[in-house]
């Protein structure tokens, strides 16, 4: 069973940076899919970024492309999200998501591709 614990949120001024981390257990390096999603108050959950085993591509939403960077440390079994040039509209609860089976690429941006979720970490960007 995949278990995820996300952390690293906080309060930052616009233009600043934050780094989120997701500690994963139950995932192997040979087959997995992992992603970050976010949900702002009163809004639907939104895809942020995703990676999957055996795929050199990293998938980003247009709203964060060029500002956010996802990375995975297989030895530490963590996935980080480096968020730069933060904007007030980035304010949300951020969730780590994972699946021990490698999703198809076309499904990566949907929440249904993931079977496990972290508890969420609040990111607040002040203007």
């Amino acid at each position: 069973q995949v278990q995820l614990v996300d952390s690293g949120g906080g309060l930052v001024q616009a233009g600043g940076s934050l780094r989120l981390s997701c500690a994963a257990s139950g995932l192997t390096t040979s087959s997995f899919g992992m992603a970050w999603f976010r949900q702002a108050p009163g809004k639907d959950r939104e895809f942020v970024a995703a990676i999957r085993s055996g795929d050199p591509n990293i998938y980003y939403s247009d709203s964060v492309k060029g500002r956010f960077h996802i990375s995975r440390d297989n030895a530490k079994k963590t996935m980080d999200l480096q968020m730069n040039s933060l904007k007030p509209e980035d304010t949300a609860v951020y969730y780590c998501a994972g699946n021990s089976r490698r999703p198809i690429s076309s499904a990566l941006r949907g929440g249904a591709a993931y079977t496990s979720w972290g508890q969420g970490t609040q990111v607040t960007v002040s203007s």
Side-chain angles (χ1 to χ4, degrees):
Q1 185 178 357
V2 177
Q3 293 186 326
L4 305 171
V5 178
D6 37 38
S7 61
L11 173 64
V12 65
Q13 289 188 333
S17 298
L18 278 176
R19 189 175 184 90
L20 306 183
S21 185
C22 176
S25 60
L27 290 178
T28 68
T29 57
S30 61
S31 179
F32 70 87
M34 295 186 74
W36 289 97
F37 286 79
R38 66 187 183 185
Q39 187 165 21
K43 295 188 176 181
D44 293 335
R45 183 177 60 195
E46 176 189 15
F47 168 78
V48 175
I51 56 173
R52 61 176 185 155
S53 55
D55 187 344
N57 298 307
I58 300 177
Y59 301 84
Y60 294 101
S61 70
D62 288 343
S63 61
V64 307
K65 194 176 296 182
R67 300 188 297 121
F68 290 13
H69 303 281
I70 200 171
S71 61
R72 174 171 162 87
D73 187 322
N74 288 330
K76 295 182 179 178
K77 296 183 180 180
T78 58
M79 177 183 67
D80 289 355
L81 183 69
Q82 177 66 42
M83 305 185 296
N84 301 320
S85 301
L86 283 161
K87 304 175 181 180
E89 51 263 43
D90 294 319
T91 295
V93 178
Y94 284 69
Y95 297 91
C96 171
N99 192 336
S100 59
R101 294 187 176 183
R102 183 175 183 265
I104 59 175
S105 60
S106 60
L108 285 170
R109 298 173 186 268
Y114 306 95
T115 56
S116 298
W117 295 80
Q119 80 283 5
T121 185
Q122 176 72 46
V123 171
T124 303
V125 184
S126 63
S127 57

